[in-house]
Coordinates of all heavy atoms in Angstrom, one line a residue:
G470 N -72.0 149.7 83.6 CA -72.2 150.4 84.8 C -72.0 149.6 86.0 O -72.1 148.3 86.0
R471 N -71.6 150.2 87.1 CA -71.4 149.4 88.4 C -72.7 148.9 88.9 O -72.8 147.7 89.4 CB -70.8 150.3 89.5 CG -69.7 151.3 89.0 CD -68.4 150.6 88.5 NE -67.4 151.6 88.2 CZ -66.5 151.5 87.3 NH1 -66.5 150.4 86.5 NH2 -65.6 152.4 87.0
R472 N -73.8 149.7 88.9 CA -75.0 149.4 89.5 C -75.7 148.1 89.0 O -76.1 147.2 89.7 CB -76.0 150.6 89.5 CG -75.5 151.8 90.2 CD -76.3 153.0 89.9 NE -77.6 153.0 90.4 CZ -78.7 152.9 89.6 NH1 -78.5 152.9 88.2 NH2 -79.9 152.9 90.1
P473 N -75.8 148.0 87.6 CA -76.4 146.8 87.1 C -75.7 145.5 87.4 O -76.3 144.5 87.7 CB -76.4 147.0 85.6 CG -76.3 148.5 85.4 CD -75.5 148.9 86.6
V474 N -74.4 145.5 87.5 CA -73.6 144.3 87.8 C -73.8 143.9 89.2 O -74.0 142.8 89.6 CB -72.1 144.5 87.5 CG1 -71.3 143.3 87.8 CG2 -71.9 144.8 86.0
V475 N -73.7 144.9 90.2 CA -73.9 144.6 91.6 C -75.3 144.1 91.8 O -75.5 143.1 92.6 CB -73.6 145.9 92.4 CG1 -74.0 145.6 93.9 CG2 -72.2 146.3 92.3
L476 N -76.3 144.7 91.2 CA -77.7 144.3 91.3 C -77.9 142.9 90.8 O -78.6 142.0 91.5 CB -78.6 145.2 90.6 CG -80.1 144.9 90.6 CD1 -80.6 144.9 92.1 CD2 -80.9 145.9 89.8
A477 N -77.3 142.5 89.7 CA -77.4 141.2 89.2 C -76.8 140.1 90.1 O -77.4 139.1 90.4 CB -76.7 141.1 87.8
G478 N -75.7 140.5 90.8 CA -75.1 139.6 91.7 C -75.9 139.4 93.0 O -76.1 138.3 93.5
A479 N -76.6 140.5 93.4 CA -77.5 140.4 94.6 C -78.7 139.6 94.3 O -79.1 138.7 95.1 CB -77.9 141.8 95.0
I480 N -79.3 139.7 93.1 CA -80.4 138.9 92.8 C -80.0 137.4 92.7 O -80.8 136.5 93.2 CB -81.0 139.4 91.4 CG1 -81.6 140.8 91.6 CG2 -82.1 138.4 90.9 CD1 -82.1 141.4 90.3
A481 N -78.9 137.2 92.1 CA -78.4 135.8 92.0 C -78.2 135.2 93.3 O -78.5 134.0 93.6 CB -77.1 135.7 91.1
S482 N -77.6 136.0 94.3 CA -77.3 135.5 95.6 C -78.6 135.1 96.4 O -78.6 134.1 97.0 CB -76.5 136.5 96.4 OG -76.1 136.1 97.7
A483 N -79.6 136.0 96.2 CA -80.9 135.7 96.9 C -81.5 134.5 96.3 O -82.1 133.6 97.0 CB -81.8 136.9 96.9
A484 N -81.5 134.4 95.0 CA -82.2 133.3 94.3 C -81.5 131.9 94.6 O -82.2 130.9 94.6 CB -82.2 133.5 92.8
L485 N -80.2 132.0 94.8 CA -79.5 130.7 95.0 C -79.4 130.3 96.4 O -78.9 129.2 96.7 CB -78.1 130.9 94.4 CG -78.0 130.9 92.9 CD1 -76.6 131.3 92.5 CD2 -78.3 129.6 92.3
A486 N -79.8 131.1 97.4 CA -79.6 130.9 98.8 C -80.1 129.5 99.2 O -79.3 128.7 99.8 CB -80.1 132.0 99.6
F487 N -81.4 129.3 99.0 CA -81.9 128.0 99.5 C -81.4 126.8 98.7 O -81.1 125.8 99.3 CB -83.5 128.1 99.5 CG -84.0 128.9 100.6 CD1 -84.3 130.2 100.5 CD2 -84.3 128.2 101.8 CE1 -84.8 130.9 101.6 CE2 -84.8 128.9 102.9 CZ -85.1 130.3 102.8
P488 N -81.3 126.9 97.4 CA -80.7 125.8 96.6 C -79.3 125.5 97.1 O -78.9 124.3 97.1 CB -80.8 126.3 95.2 CG -81.9 127.2 95.1 CD -81.9 127.9 96.4
V489 N -78.5 126.5 97.3 CA -77.1 126.3 97.8 C -77.1 125.5 99.1 O -76.3 124.6 99.2 CB -76.4 127.6 97.9 CG1 -75.1 127.5 98.8 CG2 -76.0 128.2 96.5
L490 N -77.9 125.9 100.0 CA -77.9 125.2 101.3 C -78.4 123.8 101.2 O -78.0 122.9 101.9 CB -78.7 126.0 102.4 CG -77.8 127.0 103.2 CD1 -76.8 126.3 104.0 CD2 -77.2 128.1 102.4
A491 N -79.4 123.6 100.3 CA -79.9 122.3 100.0 C -78.8 121.4 99.5 O -78.7 120.2 99.8 CB -81.1 122.3 99.1
L492 N -78.0 121.9 98.6 CA -76.9 121.2 98.0 C -75.9 120.8 99.1 O -75.3 119.7 99.2 CB -76.2 122.0 96.9 CG -76.9 122.2 95.6 CD1 -76.2 123.1 94.7 CD2 -77.2 120.8 94.9
V493 N -75.6 121.8 100.0 CA -74.7 121.5 101.1 C -75.2 120.4 102.0 O -74.5 119.4 102.4 CB -74.4 122.8 101.9 CG1 -73.6 122.4 103.2 CG2 -73.7 123.8 101.1
D494 N -76.5 120.5 102.3 CA -77.2 119.5 103.2 C -77.3 118.1 102.6 O -77.6 117.1 103.3 CB -78.6 120.0 103.6 CG -78.5 121.1 104.6 OD1 -77.5 121.4 105.2 OD2 -79.5 121.9 104.7
S495 N -77.0 118.0 101.3 CA -77.1 116.7 100.6 C -76.1 115.7 101.1 O -76.3 114.5 101.0 CB -77.0 116.8 99.1 OG -75.6 117.2 98.8
G496 N -75.0 116.1 101.6 CA -73.9 115.3 102.1 C -73.0 114.8 101.0 O -72.0 114.1 101.3
S497 N -73.2 115.3 99.8 CA -72.3 114.9 98.7 C -71.1 115.9 98.5 O -71.4 117.1 98.4 CB -73.1 114.9 97.4 OG -72.3 114.8 96.3
P498 N -69.9 115.4 98.6 CA -68.8 116.3 98.4 C -68.8 117.1 97.0 O -68.5 118.3 97.0 CB -67.5 115.4 98.4 CG -68.0 114.2 99.2 CD -69.5 114.0 98.9
G499 N -69.3 116.4 96.0 CA -69.4 117.1 94.7 C -70.4 118.2 94.7 O -70.2 119.3 94.2
L500 N -71.5 117.9 95.3 CA -72.6 119.0 95.4 C -72.2 120.1 96.4 O -72.6 121.2 96.2 CB -73.9 118.3 95.9 CG -74.5 117.4 94.9 CD1 -75.9 116.8 95.4 CD2 -74.7 118.0 93.5
L501 N -71.3 119.8 97.3 CA -70.8 120.8 98.2 C -69.9 121.8 97.4 O -70.1 123.0 97.6 CB -70.0 120.2 99.3 CG -69.2 121.2 100.2 CD1 -70.2 122.0 101.0 CD2 -68.3 120.4 101.2
I502 N -69.1 121.3 96.6 CA -68.3 122.1 95.7 C -69.1 123.0 94.8 O -68.9 124.2 94.7 CB -67.3 121.2 94.8 CG1 -66.3 120.6 95.7 CG2 -66.6 122.1 93.8 CD1 -65.4 119.6 95.0
L503 N -70.2 122.4 94.2 CA -71.1 123.1 93.3 C -71.8 124.2 94.1 O -71.9 125.4 93.6 CB -72.1 122.2 92.7 CG -73.2 122.8 91.8 CD1 -72.6 123.5 90.6 CD2 -74.2 121.8 91.4
A504 N -72.2 123.9 95.3 CA -72.9 124.9 96.2 C -72.0 126.1 96.4 O -72.4 127.3 96.3 CB -73.3 124.3 97.5
V505 N -70.8 125.9 96.9 CA -69.9 127.0 97.2 C -69.5 127.8 96.0 O -69.4 129.0 96.0 CB -68.6 126.5 98.0 CG1 -67.7 127.6 98.4 CG2 -69.1 125.7 99.3
V506 N -69.3 127.1 94.9 CA -68.9 127.8 93.6 C -70.1 128.7 93.2 O -69.9 129.9 92.8 CB -68.6 126.8 92.5 CG1 -68.6 127.5 91.2 CG2 -67.3 126.1 92.8
L507 N -71.3 128.2 93.2 CA -72.5 129.0 92.8 C -72.7 130.2 93.7 O -72.9 131.3 93.3 CB -73.7 128.1 92.8 CG -73.9 127.1 91.7 CD1 -75.1 126.2 91.9 CD2 -73.9 127.8 90.3
G508 N -72.7 129.9 95.0 CA -73.0 131.0 96.0 C -71.9 132.0 96.2 O -72.1 133.2 96.3
H509 N -70.7 131.5 96.3 CA -69.5 132.4 96.5 C -68.7 132.7 95.3 O -68.5 133.9 95.0 CB -68.6 131.7 97.6 CG -67.4 132.6 97.9 ND1 -66.2 132.4 97.4 CD2 -67.3 133.7 98.8 CE1 -65.3 133.3 97.9 NE2 -66.0 134.1 98.7
G510 N -68.3 131.7 94.6 CA -67.4 131.9 93.4 C -68.1 132.8 92.3 O -67.4 133.6 91.7
I511 N -69.4 132.6 92.2 CA -70.1 133.3 91.1 C -71.0 134.5 91.6 O -70.7 135.7 91.3 CB -71.0 132.4 90.3 CG1 -70.1 131.3 89.6 CG2 -71.8 133.1 89.2 CD1 -70.8 130.3 88.8
A512 N -72.0 134.2 92.4 CA -72.9 135.2 92.9 C -72.2 136.3 93.7 O -72.3 137.5 93.5 CB -74.1 134.6 93.6
Q513 N -71.5 135.8 94.8 CA -70.8 136.8 95.6 C -69.8 137.6 94.9 O -69.6 138.8 95.1 CB -70.2 136.1 96.8 CG -69.7 137.0 97.9 CD -68.2 137.4 97.7 OE1 -67.5 136.9 96.9 NE2 -67.8 138.5 98.4
S514 N -69.0 137.0 94.0 CA -68.0 137.7 93.3 C -68.5 138.7 92.3 O -67.9 139.7 92.1 CB -67.1 136.7 92.5 OG -66.4 135.8 93.4
T515 N -69.7 138.4 91.8 CA -70.4 139.4 90.9 C -70.8 140.6 91.7 O -70.6 141.8 91.2 CB -71.6 138.8 90.2 OG1 -71.2 137.6 89.5 CG2 -72.3 139.8 89.3
M516 N -71.2 140.5 92.9 CA -71.5 141.6 93.7 C -70.3 142.4 94.1 O -70.2 143.6 94.2 CB -72.3 141.2 95.0 CG -73.7 141.0 94.9 SD -74.5 140.8 96.5 CE -73.9 139.1 97.0

Side-chain angles (χ1 to χ4, degrees):
R471 320 292 185 213
R472 298 167 66 248
V474 178
V475 173
L476 180 60
I480 293 172
S482 184
L485 289 170
F487 282 93
V489 160
L490 269 298
L492 291 173
V493 174
D494 290 341
S495 70
S497 165
L500 293 181
L501 173 65
I502 293 174
L503 178 61
V505 180
V506 166
L507 289 174
H509 180 260
I511 297 177
Q513 190 274 344
S514 295
T515 302
M516 279 191 287

